[in-house]
Amino acid sequence: MRRKLAAGNWKMNGTTAALSELEALARAYPTSSIDVLICPPATLLHRAAEVVRDTEVTVGGQNCHAATAGAHTGDISADMLVDAGASAVILGHSERREDHGEQNEDVRAKARAAMDAGLKAIICVGESLEQREAANTLDIIGGQMSGSIPDQSTGENLIVAYEPIWAIGTGKVPTLNEIGEVHDFIRNRLERRFGEGVGRSVRLLYGGSVKPSNADEIFGVSNVDGALVGGASLKTRDFSGIVDALLKA
Ligand code: PEP
């Protein structure tokens, strides 16, 4: 049985005042049968970890460097994320791939570093609208998976998030069939590469305009083990609607 996961990506949003949202979330789910994770900006991570201490909510990073330490001005290592209280890190988000030119091999190196440090790596894959319209979605996802996912991956340290780029922050969502097709494909690929045991134990998240109003139906799709949520994770009122839908799924 895979434990379901509702993960929030605050991106470059939130200053000290936003910690009250996290406090409310931690109060709302003092115990839970699913995992709830918030990835705030790095500046809030340590304080966020203090806020959720002794609760079921955990916190994570949004990126890390592939090296453990050194002359990399402005970067953060996986060990630093652990030191700040993180349990996971989002890697290969399309915004990092686009804004910072991150390639699959960069994502793979970062994921190795994250796993070596004891973090769960949430590796994001997803196609552009152009790629979907050209019927290249599965080829793109397959290539991103082979390029970005390290060999040392297990059901414990790897989570894959399918995030169609055209659905992120746009209010557009693929059909349930389209989501199911990609998630089944990802599961199949993982089973072929890592064997059935590991392949079946890796959690797969859907991400892209998930809201309380569409979460129920998305969580009913095969091989969807939860969601990676951007905009709707910023306010606990909205994110709780998604967590509640996952609790019922
Ligand atoms: C994301 O960026 O990971 C994301 C899914 O964003 P949103 O939920 O806002 O579409």
Side-chain angles (χ1 to χ4, degrees):
M1 265 301 276
R2 296 182 295 272
R3 199 170 152 88
K4 294 183 188 299
L5 168 62
N9 173 12
W10 283 8
K11 310 189 184 189
M12 198 173 72
N13 295 294
T15 53
T16 301
L19 292 173
S20 62
E21 294 293 330
L22 195 55
E23 258 164 34
L25 185 70
R27 260 200 316 273
Y29 302 99
T31 62
S32 177
S33 54
I34 65 169
D35 289 339
V36 179
L37 169 78
I38 291 289
C39 299
T43 47
L44 288 181
L45 188 55
H46 182 69
R47 280 177 293 163
E50 290 296 312
V51 167
V52 301
R53 193 146 58 123
D54 299 326
T55 78
E56 294 289 310
V57 178
T58 59
V59 293
Q62 298 177 13
N63 177 43
C64 72
H65 197 278
T68 49
H72 303 288
T73 302
D75 275 311
I76 297 174
S77 73
D79 285 339
M80 289 170 180
L81 291 178
V82 172
D83 185 52
S87 63
V89 59
I90 299 168
L91 295 171
H93 191 283
S94 57
E95 288 155 12
R96 300 274 331 161
R97 291 179 189 260
E98 277 173 23
D99 296 354
H100 300 272
E102 286 186 10
Q103 304 294 316
N104 288 330
E105 50 275 22
D106 302 315
V107 178
R108 188 184 187 109
K110 287 169 183 232
R112 268 198 228 110
M115 291 170 178
D116 288 347
L119 292 169
K120 296 180 198 314
I122 304 176
I123 298 184
C124 303
V125 295
E127 82 286 2
S128 66
L129 189 57
E130 213 178 21
Q131 290 163 337
R132 174 159 283 278
E133 285 173 350
N136 284 333
T137 298
L138 299 184
D139 279 350
I140 294 296
I141 305 292
Q144 289 173 335
M145 287 181 69
S146 359
S148 308
I149 298 177
D151 290 336
Q152 73 207 78
S153 299
T154 66
E156 191 46 45
N157 65 17
L158 174 69
I159 295 158
V160 179
Y162 168 52
E163 299 210 306
I165 299 168
W166 51 274
I168 294 179
T170 59
K172 293 186 188 138
V173 179
T175 65
L176 300 182
N177 279 346
E178 287 169 338
I179 295 175
E181 182 191 31
V182 176
H183 278 244
D184 290 350
F185 172 82
I186 294 174
R187 176 73 63 218
N188 194 275
R189 276 294 174 105
L190 289 170
E191 285 179 14
R192 268 177 34 200
R193 176 163 166 200
F194 294 105
E196 274 190 11
V198 169
R200 281 188 190 165
S201 61
V202 174
R203 289 177 286 180
L204 309 187
L205 308 182
Y206 168 76
S209 297
V210 178
K211 301 182 193 68
S213 55
N214 61 16
D216 269 334
E217 55 179 21
I218 292 172
F219 295 148
V221 175
S222 89
N223 280 313
V224 173
D225 303 310
L228 179 54
V229 183
S233 70
L234 294 172
K235 292 281 167 230
T236 289
R237 196 187 49 234
D238 297 333
F239 195 55
S240 294
I242 294 168
V243 174
D244 290 343
L246 193 57
L247 278 165
K248 279 190 275 141

